[in-house]
Amino acid sequence: MSLTARTPASPAEPETQTTGSHPGTTTLLPDDPAPIREHAARPANAPAAPATTARHPTNHLAAPSGDATEKGPVAPVDLLRFNTCGSVDDGKSTLIGRLLYDSKSLMEDQLEALERSADLTGGGQINLANLTDGLRAEREQGITIDVAYRYFATPRRKFIIADTPGHTQYTRNMVTGASTANLSIVLVDARSGVIEQSRRHTAIASLLRIPHLVVAVNKMDLVDWSQERFEEIRADFEKFLPRLDIQDVKFIPISALGGDNVVSLSDKTPWYTGPSLLGHLETVHIASDRNLQGLRLPVQWVNRPNRPDDPALHDFRGVSGQLAGGVVQRGQQVVVLPSGITTRVKAIHTYDGEVEEAFCPQSVTLLLEHDIDISRGQMIVGLDDLPGAGTELSAKLCWMHPRALTAGRKLLLKHTSLTTQAIVSAITHRIDVTSLEPGDAPDGLALNDLGEIRLRTATPLIYDGYKTNRQTGAFILIDPASHATLAAGMLLPPKALVRPDEDGDFVI
């Protein structure tokens, strides 16, 4: 029996899902890597509905058929989140449509809808961009406005795609879609080369600490698959990469419209010796991207089943949450912050049952040796790598509201599972999005502005710098009146870490 509840998404991760879900399709929520099958209700004596299948006659990416029990257990596949970004008309939505189409990840009704809209796109050609550009305004203007999430899987890996808009006025949408990405695909039009928006989105990816970057040079068919043009764009792009903190960068020549080098390698680029885009997405190493050094468990709730008929659950009292960092082991000594009470882990329960250890981003329920006063918003941490704590904070943020942010404004701050009151003490400076260089101190931050601010909170925050931990270093600002999300923020490293006093207490 599971003792762990489904935990909500982290503050930097909006709880969104694809639109247009229908019975028979697999919908994957961004905060849960497990697929959820939706079924239409039908009478118990009614015959089963025929399965929805893809139009394609074969699926070269499908897993081998046969009884899995005869071949042993199936190896688990991990989840890769990535976003596409770049300038307007660089082909972001078309690329995602091509990935879904060529990987045989579309249902028959989706293909029929594409064919019905083919006459509207000119020449009867299927417009793959319509798979992600679902808003009427997006299809009429041929642009991406809102963030669209799409989900597909191959035998090697599951994927969550965030199609983010390219316009400067939608920078906040790009930040939202990329905030949880493991990898970012920056598309560059082979005809236009590297432009300001290409640098802008790459700089934002660096600011959000996305560890892997793919520069997809699109529309290579319009420059006759010129290797010289590809190398020219690559050299131009590499000029400003040293100013950014991105270690893994891959350049791939593609044609999203024709499908060259997207799912399979094309014979039109014999000079290119690297993998296809999907091949790289399937094999890029992401296991070491998570912070496994310091245990961080934001408390979501205290789990009390209150089951008198079950002796194991009658007096059960566990602490539930999603691990934001590190590894927790049975018998490990931990401290609850900000109360500073130390105890040991007596048992660890997950969805699959009781385990000896768990690691981020697993959702767990911990049984502690002592019945201590603990509640939502507190954090359980290990003693070997302590976080920072305090009410005076410095952070970088992206302002997402038409009403400008000014110093002295009172807001709500949500950090992991804690929501507290906060006031903006000062706006230090505005950040040049293209170069990430600080500018002058402004009177306020306008819509889509990036800046650095100082905050003072009513409750001490237990946190790490965003560079160290993307979960415990992220927060959002909320309007206390309308509860609208106003900004996404990244905390700077704490000036001092939590330390025990002379008596060994950790009280903050």
Side-chain angles (χ1 to χ4, degrees), residues 157-468:
R157 183 168 277 173
K158 298 176 183 177
F159 301 95
I160 296 180
I161 316 171
D163 182 22
T164 55
H167 288 69
T168 303
Q169 70 189 87
Y170 301 125
T171 299
R172 58 177 177 174
N173 304 67
M174 190 269 175
V175 172
T176 301
S179 60
T180 59
N182 307 108
L183 180 146
S184 183
I185 300 177
V186 178
L187 278 87
V188 177
D189 191 325
R191 301 167 299 174
S192 306
V194 181
I195 60 177
E196 181 181 354
Q197 194 70 340
S198 307
R199 297 184 178 92
R200 170 187 290 265
H201 283 177
T202 305
I204 293 176
S206 173
L207 185 67
L208 294 173
R209 310 299 303 176
I210 299 177
H212 307 282
L213 182 71
V214 173
V215 181
V217 183
N218 192 24
K219 304 184 181 181
M220 286 293 297
D221 52 318
L222 300 183
V223 294
D224 297 327
W225 302 99
S226 171
Q227 180 181 5
E228 180 180 356
R229 180 56 176 162
F230 175 76
E231 296 296 340
E232 180 183 347
I233 293 175
R234 177 172 184 165
D236 192 12
F237 209 96
E238 288 177 339
K239 289 180 181 178
F240 70 95
L241 280 179
R243 293 182 291 174
L244 309 178
D245 192 10
I246 302 179
Q247 305 300 324
D248 180 24
V249 183
K250 183 71 175 178
F251 293 83
I252 303 178
I254 66 168
S255 171
L257 187 63
D260 299 276
N261 290 337
V262 177
V263 170
S264 56
L265 291 173
S266 172
D267 55 4
K268 300 175 183 177
T269 54
W271 43 267
Y272 173 69
T273 57
S276 66
L277 178 60
L278 182 60
H280 180 70
L281 296 177
E282 287 182 321
T283 57
V284 62
H285 181 69
I286 60 173
S288 59
D289 295 341
R290 301 188 181 100
N291 187 330
L292 299 177
Q293 300 302 315
L295 169 61
R296 305 287 186 267
L297 178 63
V299 176
Q300 294 276 359
W301 70 310
V302 178
N303 193 340
R304 294 297 304 271
N306 295 322
R307 295 278 298 275
D309 57 331
D310 190 337
L313 299 178
H314 184 273
D315 296 321
F316 184 90
R317 186 175 187 270
V319 180
S320 300
Q322 184 179 29
L323 288 167
V327 179
V328 60
Q329 299 174 327
R330 185 200 300 268
Q332 180 178 352
Q333 189 175 17
V334 297
V335 58
V336 180
L337 297 176
S339 64
I341 303 175
T342 57
T343 184
R344 289 188 180 274
V345 178
K346 185 167 64 174
I348 305 170
H349 293 270
T350 68
Y351 180 82
D352 298 317
E354 191 170 343
V355 296
E356 290 294 321
E357 67 176 18
F359 54 88
C360 71
Q362 286 181 289
S363 294
V364 298
T365 294
L366 301 185
L367 270 67
L368 306 177
E369 279 191 353
H370 307 93
D371 287 335
I372 59 178
D373 182 13
I374 188 170
S375 60
R376 177 181 174 87
Q378 295 182 320
M379 189 177 295
I380 298 176
V381 303
L383 299 181
D384 53 342
D385 192 348
L386 293 169
T391 58
E392 300 290 338
L393 311 170
S394 296
K396 296 178 181 178
L397 62 77
C398 175
W399 187 249
M400 301 179 174
H401 196 268
R403 178 187 172 188
L405 173 66
T406 55
R409 187 169 177 183
K410 296 180 180 180
L411 305 165
L412 293 178
L413 184 147
K414 182 168 173 50
H415 171 258
T416 61
S417 58
L418 172 68
T419 301
T420 183
Q421 293 179 332
I423 185 171
V424 179
S425 305
I427 300 176
T428 308
H429 54 253
R430 185 182 286 111
I431 298 175
D432 185 343
V433 182
T434 304
S435 64
L436 297 186
E437 294 295 329
D440 297 332
D443 295 331
L445 293 179
L447 177 65
N448 294 316
D449 274 353
L450 297 178
E452 186 172 321
I453 65 170
R454 292 200 300 268
L455 291 161
R456 185 170 66 252
T457 59
T459 306
L461 257 62
I462 312 302
Y463 69 100
D464 300 280
Y466 188 80
K467 184 177 181 180
T468 303

